[in-house]
Amino acid sequence: MSTFSPAHPPPPPPISEGQAEDLLQGICFKTGPPRLLGAELEWLVLDAERPGRPLSPDRLRAAHSAARALPLSSRVTVEPGGQLELSSAPAASLSGCVDGLQADLTAVRAALITQGLLLEGHGQDPRVPHRRLLNSPRYDAMETYFDRTGPAGRAMMRASASVQVCVDAGHEEPGVLGHGRRWRLAHLLGAVLVASFANSPAYEGPYADWRCARQGNWADIDSRRALAPPLDGSPRAGWTRQALDTEVMCVRSYDGEPWTIPQHMTFRDWLRTGGDPVYPGLRPPTAEDLDYHVSTLFPPVRPRGHLELRMIDAQPGDDGWLVPVAVVHALFDDPEAAETAYRVSKALAETYGSAPAPRNPLWRSAARHGLTDPELRAAAKACFRAAAEALPRLGASDHVRDTVGAFTERFVLRGRCPADDPPRPLAGAAGKEARR
């Protein structure tokens, strides 16, 4: 007799190892002409008068409710620490993506200012202590899992914010816009993007004097979950191996029981053994479990049909976010700029060896030193120059081109990044609070 009640239906049918491989290879790269662009913007929510002090849970929830009540084209979600995220709809042009997000941000900011609140672009929340706002089986399991390896997981969940740029996978065929080249470009270019947009300076702790402490936390959450797969073979095969050979974070319950948080069990182990002998009686994995497992992987580039670039810190100012969106779009979707970016970033990466990002020396240097590293600075100058030349060809507005140009002049050409600016009131106030 089934032990599942109508309120807790039985799980879907299990899948085999071969089916799991087929599912991953079928969904991770949806190839075709690059057409669409998207962005996910994460923001810290601050008190307008006392930005250095953490907000109460009630004020954060009120802010989230106000944003969700608006008629936006973007999807509003909340991160575990209360960070507010706006995810654009896929857009057929840079202008469509930017204009939609700008309109939504204007509406959200107007709603929040009536509550005395602001949105701040900062890669790592310097306000302490870091509290978790959201309580759910997913986040309870995630925190338990990450606590086994140190504090980096909690910091990532509760205090980080980013600009994630999503581009199409590209053509099936080889070439500058082929999915294989774009997959490699995303990883090779990643260190240049980390260095150029570093905006999470740390003044103490394990990443003291780093310009991108957020990247340090991501790199240290566990031994494999945040790593890029090997790039020396087929993108589909490499990603499939990486996903199946990464530990399972948690096994969801379908009957209302607590979720299982296994140790040292990869998804491939689960497929082959069903959890035995270490976890006898664990149900076999399903296609839904595989999809959920992939959602708990946090590499610098995640294939979701499209490519999701996850290494860029949240940016300061009202329009700072649009610079990485425009630059990534130009370097991926304009063939001439893409060729330049690939050539420059490949030559740079080859001097540092082939260890996977983000734990190789190049990515560590990008996070620690930003564009004070002379080789990263030279690569960034070449890439931003190529992006500036491509933006008119891509139909970028004068505002976008001027904003990218101002960022390039203020930071890139001078070997600086946003983390090199004097601390803003948020960071300064938080630092004082932390030292009391």
Side-chain angles (χ1 to χ4, degrees), residues 19 46 239 244 265 320 353 382 402:
Q19 288 173 319
L46 312 181
W239 173 246
L244 295 184
M265 184 184 78
D402 290 345

Side-chain angles (χ1 to χ4, degrees), residues 241-254:
R241 286 195 301 272
Q242 182 79 358
L244 295 184
D245 292 335
T246 298
E247 288 185 11
V248 173
M249 178 178 285
C250 56
V251 177
R252 297 170 299 162
S253 169
Y254 285 92

Side-chain angles (χ1 to χ4, degrees), residues 107-230:
V108 171
R109 287 177 172 133
L112 295 192
I113 198 63
T114 64
Q115 301 183 17
L117 301 174
L118 301 172
L119 295 181
E120 167 78 6
H122 201 284
Q124 192 82 9
D125 192 344
R127 298 171 297 176
V128 291
H130 298 146
R131 299 184 177 93
R132 178 156 64 95
L133 178 71
L134 301 185
N135 293 297
S136 68
R138 174 183 173 91
Y139 294 128
D140 292 346
M142 185 178 291
E143 195 159 271
T144 299
Y145 176 90
F146 283 139
D147 283 350
R148 294 169 178 169
T149 55
R154 287 193 177 212
M156 177 273 288
M157 293 172 61
R158 300 179 177 196
S160 66
S162 69
V163 173
Q164 298 176 20
V165 187
C166 301
V167 297
D168 279 333
H171 291 285
E172 185 67 29
E173 299 78 15
V176 67
L177 298 182
H179 79 283
R181 171 69 75 88
R182 287 161 73 85
W183 177 243
R184 285 184 59 81
L185 173 61
H187 291 88
L188 296 172
L189 185 63
V192 177
L193 298 176
V194 169
S196 300
F197 297 111
N199 187 38
S200 49
Y203 306 104
E204 57 189 10
Y207 312 113
D209 299 324
W210 286 40
R211 287 162 170 82
C212 186
R214 172 181 163 274
Q215 191 60 232
N217 279 315
W218 278 101
D220 292 342
I221 58 174
D222 78 3
S223 62
R224 188 179 180 92
R225 191 165 301 276
L227 284 184

Side-chain angles (χ1 to χ4, degrees), residues 218-379:
W218 278 101
D220 292 342
I221 58 174
D222 78 3
S223 62
R224 188 179 180 92
R225 191 165 301 276
L227 284 184
L231 302 179
D232 55 357
S234 159
R236 290 188 177 94
W239 173 246
T240 296
R241 286 195 301 272
Q242 182 79 358
L244 295 184
D245 292 335
T246 298
E247 288 185 11
V248 173
M249 178 178 285
C250 56
V251 177
R252 297 170 299 162
S253 169
Y254 285 92
D255 56 6
E257 293 298 316
W259 291 14
T260 301
I261 306 170
Q263 281 189 287
H264 313 304
M265 184 184 78
T266 68
F267 202 91
R268 196 183 302 277
D269 293 334
W270 192 13
L271 288 162
R272 290 179 175 178
T273 70
D276 290 330
V278 180
Y279 295 96
L282 190 67
R283 62 173 178 79
T286 67
E288 289 184 0
D289 290 318
L290 178 61
D291 185 62
Y292 190 86
H293 172 66
V294 171
S295 78
T296 71
L297 306 181
F298 307 114
V301 183
R302 188 162 62 181
R304 305 285 295 270
H306 55 272
L307 304 184
E308 183 182 82
L309 278 69
R310 304 173 53 84
M311 72 290 292
I312 301 168
D313 277 355
Q315 295 297 289
D318 289 347
D319 296 334
W321 60 270
L322 71 78
V323 179
V325 175
V327 169
V328 168
H329 174 54
L331 297 180
F332 275 80
D333 293 342
D334 180 85
E336 186 176 336
E339 187 62 46
T340 297
Y342 185 79
R343 172 178 49 81
V344 169
S345 59
K346 182 173 182 291
L348 174 62
E350 286 177 346
T351 66
Y352 282 84
S354 59
R359 295 208 186 104
N360 63 38
L362 176 59
W363 281 64
R364 288 281 183 175
S365 183
R368 184 186 296 272
H369 303 297
L371 294 185
T372 63
D373 180 306
E375 292 176 310
L376 281 162
R377 180 167 65 250

